Amino acid sequence: NAGVTQTPKFRILKIGQSMTLQCTQDMNHNYMYWYRQDPGMGLKLIYYSVGAGITDKGEVPNGYNVSRSTTEDFPLRLELAAPSQTSVYFCACRQYFGPGTRLTVT
Amino acid sequence: GQQVMQIPQYQHVQEGEDFTTYCNSSTTLSNIQWYKQRPGGHPVFLIQLVKSGEVKKQKRLTFQFGEAKKNSSLHITATQTTDVGTYFCAGRMKRDDKIIFGKGTRLHILP
């Protein structure tokens, strides 16, 4: 029972590149969330999902996309990376957080 | 827009002193959650409060939810070095069910 897993742990992107942050949970729960955390700041909700096939925008969705084709997986897509997207990204299932992905865009 | 304000932003205490962090929401909450995050780590869930006026205790930690369900506090009695980290509240908005995090209180313990 791993809880919430995220890959990769670290990534450096060039401006304009795209990538997908993976998130998988084994708790069989419907609610999943993506947050970003900038240095010394709180967490801001990017997108969330209340079940397979259902997603909705959070506070800061611009520049991101998500999909939820299965209960277990909730990937976050960055299409055209910008320096403003340099952050630590956390995926959560209910109140349980994954270990995070540290993303740098240069 | 809906906000959750958390104060103080930083707190330095001597080991053994008490510590309190406060959260205030601009709108009524369905519930509030508290998390602890160690430097370089991920938020770890501590507790959820749901009922108006609720008080819950976990060893040296006491959590309160206000009568109006718009504010909450976390109090740590006799801090220890293991309490170091940032404490976040996260309120679920009654109006639209969205979760908004406070900016956190960073606790430093002076030996």
Side-chain angles (χ1 to χ4, degrees):
Chain A
N1 187 341
V4 180
T5 57
Q6 290 183 241
T7 56
K9 290 186 178 177
F10 304 93
R11 183 73 186 267
I12 298 174
L13 281 182
K14 293 189 184 301
I15 295 171
Q17 286 185 320
S18 60
M19 77 164 293
T20 299
L21 283 68
Q22 301 292 344
C23 176
T24 301
Q25 54 102 350
D26 62 2
M27 292 179 279
N28 196 32
H29 199 270
N30 285 324
Y31 282 64
M32 295 186 75
Y33 308 87
W34 273 106
Y35 296 92
R36 61 175 287 172
Q37 184 176 35
D38 298 327
M41 301 293 286
L43 294 100
K44 294 193 174 180
L45 183 64
I46 306 171
Y47 270 95
Y48 67 101
S49 170
V50 300
I54 305 169
T55 62
D56 208 348
K57 296 178 180 178
E59 283 182 87
V60 290
N62 291 344
Y64 307 94
N65 278 300
V66 292
S67 59
R68 186 90 184 273
S69 55
T70 66
T71 299
E72 294 78 20
D73 299 305
F74 189 38
L76 177 72
R77 178 86 178 158
L78 283 72
E79 289 295 348
L80 290 169
S84 60
Q85 293 178 304
T86 294
S87 191
V88 180
Y89 291 84
F90 290 104
C91 177
C93 177
R94 293 181 69 190
Q95 66 268 44
Y96 303 103
F97 280 73
T101 294
R102 188 174 298 272
L103 176 67
T104 303
V105 182
T106 62
Chain B
Q2 299 172 123
Q3 294 184 52
V4 173
M5 306 298 292
Q6 189 172 356
I7 58 169
Q9 190 174 0
Y10 301 96
Q11 184 83 57
H12 293 80
V13 300
Q14 292 280 351
E15 187 175 6
E17 291 183 337
D18 293 355
F19 159 78
T20 305
T21 174
Y22 302 89
C23 275
N24 287 289
S25 170
S26 57
T27 60
T28 303
L29 303 172
S30 301
N31 62 55
I32 192 160
Q33 297 175 344
W34 284 93
Y35 294 82
K36 177 183 178 181
Q37 185 177 27
R38 292 184 179 274
H42 61 275
V44 175
F45 175 75
L46 296 175
I47 208 160
Q48 176 171 286
L49 304 172
V50 179
K51 298 177 183 176
S52 169
E54 190 169 15
V55 178
K56 286 189 176 180
K57 291 191 176 184
Q58 288 179 351
K59 297 183 180 178
R60 294 179 293 104
L61 278 61
T62 302
F63 304 85
Q64 292 189 321
F65 200 12
E67 293 289 342
K69 299 184 74 172
K70 295 177 77 172
N71 57 72
S72 181
S73 65
L74 158 59
H75 180 83
I76 301 178
T77 303
T79 54
Q80 300 174 358
T81 54
T82 53
D83 295 326
V84 164
T86 301
Y87 293 84
F88 291 98
C89 62
R92 182 181 291 277
M93 302 295 138
K94 189 174 183 179
R95 185 167 68 195
D96 57 11
D97 219 32
K98 289 199 170 147
I99 297 173
I100 298 179
F101 275 75
K103 290 187 176 180
T105 296
R106 187 172 297 180
L107 174 62
H108 296 268
I109 308 289
L110 304 170

